[in-house]
């Protein structure tokens, strides 16, 4: 577990101040959010707020993460007042009204703002093993879902690793001038995984909204990442459904059967193995969950209009 010293904190925030992410007025925060909104190349923004006496009510129609670095704040979530101390972390979608007031002079609050474009499929797939937070982010960026407030409130200890990962993400976002890069997204994933791992003891409050469409996306994401073991029975057990109910729900929501989806993901994975590795075809067959070579060849030829061997040869020839 990493612990910051007082000197490190001082050096850290001195560095951040040189990069203009440190604000002491609501007007400054509004200007920064406006600049963020107007720049199509920026998908993430971060601010550190300190010494603001009024209630902050500025509009921020983005997915947000707020973290109390020090002191305490009064939070107004959809008009409901709550008081939280250092270590409080709030996730909120763009429909949630989040106003807050700093209670003490030493209060510092970090705010991260995310545009939907930040959450690429590859980034979301890295969260698939953290189901509650995966659902939160997918729900928050899906345009065709109902409009409703969605939030989670946690209370961490200042010595928890979440504290370190918030600062790591903050520094990386500011250092890269708010533009995306692999290290920034890696820092974000580290923070999300740590939040998820500590949810059982640190989650204080959350709404209960979740749409069937988002749940289906989570299930399909799980199948895609676990094709070798993703039988209907295994996946139903993973998500606490009866197999027949899960099968019917997928059919109703997507128009395709569970078997169709599993076949699609297995064959797409087989194609990636053929394109990107030197694994033998027999090994690939096992890796994607098939036990019958003849059955696999038949399915693959129907899907790709050629045998696995010819597919690999054609791909290698095309990209030499």
């Amino acid at each position: 577990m990493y612990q910051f010293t007082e000197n490190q904190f001082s050096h850290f925030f001195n560095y951040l101040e040189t990069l203009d992410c440190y604000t002491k007025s609501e007007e400054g925060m509004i200007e920064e959010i406006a600049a963020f909104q107007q720049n199509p190349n920026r998908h993430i923004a971060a601010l550190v707020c300190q010494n603001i006496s009024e209630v902050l009510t500025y509009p921020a129609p983005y997915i947000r993460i707020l973290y109390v670095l020090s002191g305490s704040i009064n939070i107004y979530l959809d008009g409901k007042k709550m008081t939280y101390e250092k270590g409080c972390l709030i996730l909120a979608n763009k429909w949630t009204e989040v106003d807050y007031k700093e209670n003490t002079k030493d209060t510092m609050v970090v705010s991260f703002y995310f545009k939907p474009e930040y959450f690429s499929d590859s980034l979301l797939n890295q969260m698939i093993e953290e189901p509650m937070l995966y659902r939160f982010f997918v729900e928050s960026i899906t345009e065709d879902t109902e409009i409703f407030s969605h939030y989670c409130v946690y209370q961490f200890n200042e010595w928890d690793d979440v504290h370190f990962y918030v600062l790591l993400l903050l520094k990386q976002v500011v250092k890269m001038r708010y533009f995306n890069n692999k290290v920034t997204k890696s820092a974000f994933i580290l923070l999300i995984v740590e939040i998820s791992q500590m949810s059982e003891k640190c989650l204080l409050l959350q709404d209960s909204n979740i749409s069937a469409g988002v749940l289906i996306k989570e299930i399909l994401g799980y199948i895609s990442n676990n094709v070798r073991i993703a039988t209907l029975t295994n996946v139903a057990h993973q998500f606490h459904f009866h197999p027949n109910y899960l099968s019917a729900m997928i059919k109703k929501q997507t128009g395709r059967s569970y078997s169709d989806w599993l076949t699609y993901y297995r064959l797409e994975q087989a194609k990636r193995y053929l394109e990107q590795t030197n694994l033998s075809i027999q090994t690939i067959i096992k890796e994607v969950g098939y036990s019958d070579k003849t059955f696999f060849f038949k399915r693959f030829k129907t899907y790709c209009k050629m045998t696995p061997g010819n597919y690999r040869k054609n791909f290698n020839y095309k990209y030499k």
Side-chain angles (χ1 to χ4, degrees):
M1 180 180 298
Y2 191 89
Q3 296 183 5
F4 274 88
T5 65
E6 185 174 345
N7 287 337
Q8 285 175 311
F9 264 116
S10 177
H11 176 75
F12 183 87
F13 286 107
N14 287 337
Y15 168 76
L16 293 176
E17 283 185 304
T18 67
L19 299 179
D20 300 324
C21 79
Y22 205 63
T23 181
K24 297 183 179 181
S25 71
E26 184 174 40
E27 291 77 11
M29 300 188 81
I30 292 173
E31 290 175 5
E32 177 57 36
I33 291 172
F36 175 56
Q37 183 177 21
Q38 293 165 11
N39 190 332
N41 295 317
R42 289 178 61 182
H43 297 161
I44 182 172
L47 296 169
V48 180
C49 179
Q50 184 182 29
N51 294 338
I52 299 180
S53 58
E54 71 267 30
V55 177
L56 297 175
T57 60
Y58 57 91
Y62 303 105
I63 298 170
R64 288 150 289 169
I65 298 178
L66 276 68
Y67 182 75
V68 182
L69 274 176
S70 62
S72 68
I73 59 173
N74 288 333
I75 287 280
Y76 301 84
L77 277 175
D78 294 332
K80 301 174 183 177
K81 181 181 176 181
M82 291 158 277
T83 300
Y84 292 111
E85 305 296 323
K86 174 169 53 178
C88 172
L89 185 146
I90 297 171
L91 297 177
N93 72 357
K94 66 179 182 179
W95 305 114
T96 305
E97 293 183 14
V98 183
D99 303 329
Y100 65 91
K101 181 179 185 298
E102 300 176 355
N103 288 333
T104 60
K105 289 184 178 180
D106 67 334
T107 298
M108 286 190 291
V109 180
V110 178
S111 301
F112 297 102
Y113 303 94
F114 304 87
K115 292 178 181 176
E117 298 91 326
Y118 186 77
F119 297 94
S120 62
D121 288 342
S122 61
L123 185 70
L124 289 171
N125 283 340
Q126 294 180 66
M127 298 186 223
I128 199 70
E129 300 297 331
E130 320 301 335
M132 188 183 78
L133 295 181
Y134 176 87
R135 292 173 187 172
F136 172 85
F137 289 111
V138 172
E139 184 76 61
S140 297
I141 65 173
T142 302
E143 295 295 335
D144 58 353
T145 57
E146 296 179 35
I147 297 173
F148 54 75
S149 173
H150 195 13
Y151 57 83
C152 303
V153 180
Y154 303 83
Q155 182 65 58
F156 298 104
N157 186 288
E158 62 177 304
W159 304 121
D160 290 334
D161 287 349
V162 166
H163 194 78
F164 168 69
Y165 288 130
V166 167
L167 293 175
L168 178 65
L169 178 60
L170 173 62
K171 182 176 182 179
Q172 186 59 33
V173 171
V174 176
K175 179 181 178 181
M176 295 306 299
R177 301 289 184 174
Y178 312 109
F179 291 94
N180 294 330
N181 77 333
K182 291 181 180 179
V183 178
T184 302
K185 289 195 172 182
S186 296
F188 172 73
I189 289 296
L190 285 171
L191 173 60
I192 293 304
V193 171
E194 189 64 24
I195 292 171
S196 178
Q197 296 303 308
M198 300 190 68
S199 288
E200 185 173 343
K201 70 173 184 176
C202 296
L203 180 63
L204 299 182
L205 181 68
Q206 71 175 130
D207 63 84
S208 58
N209 296 314
I210 181 169
S211 71
V214 169
L215 183 57
I216 291 297
K217 287 184 179 181
E218 182 181 347
I219 292 169
L220 294 180
Y222 179 84
I223 296 170
S224 176
N225 289 326
N226 298 273
V227 292
R228 187 171 59 83
I229 61 171
T231 64
L232 177 58
T233 300
N234 287 346
V235 175
H237 177 75
Q238 174 73 19
F239 289 90
H240 310 291
F241 291 121
H242 188 281
N244 292 344
Y245 179 83
L246 176 62
S247 179
M249 182 170 62
I250 289 176
K251 180 70 173 180
K252 180 180 179 180
Q253 289 290 323
T254 70
R256 298 174 65 178
S257 69
Y258 184 91
S259 177
D260 287 342
W261 280 112
L262 181 57
T263 298
Y264 166 74
Y265 286 125
R266 281 178 166 174
L267 295 178
E268 283 296 313
Q269 182 64 60
K271 285 170 57 180
R272 287 192 289 273
Y273 280 135
L274 290 168
E275 295 167 2
Q276 301 171 13
T277 75
N278 292 319
L279 293 174
S280 69
I281 293 175
Q282 186 61 48
T283 299
I284 291 173
I285 291 172
K286 293 180 180 178
E287 287 297 316
V288 299
Y290 286 105
S291 57
D292 188 319
K293 181 177 180 180
T294 301
F295 182 74
F296 169 78
F297 267 71
K298 182 179 178 180
R299 284 289 177 90
F300 191 93
K301 191 170 183 180
T302 299
Y303 186 66
C304 295
K305 310 303 179 186
M306 64 183 73
T307 66
N310 286 337
Y311 181 88
R312 174 174 271 170
K313 289 178 183 177
N314 286 352
F315 181 85
N316 290 336
Y317 175 78
K318 183 177 179 180
Y319 290 96
K320 274 186 178 180

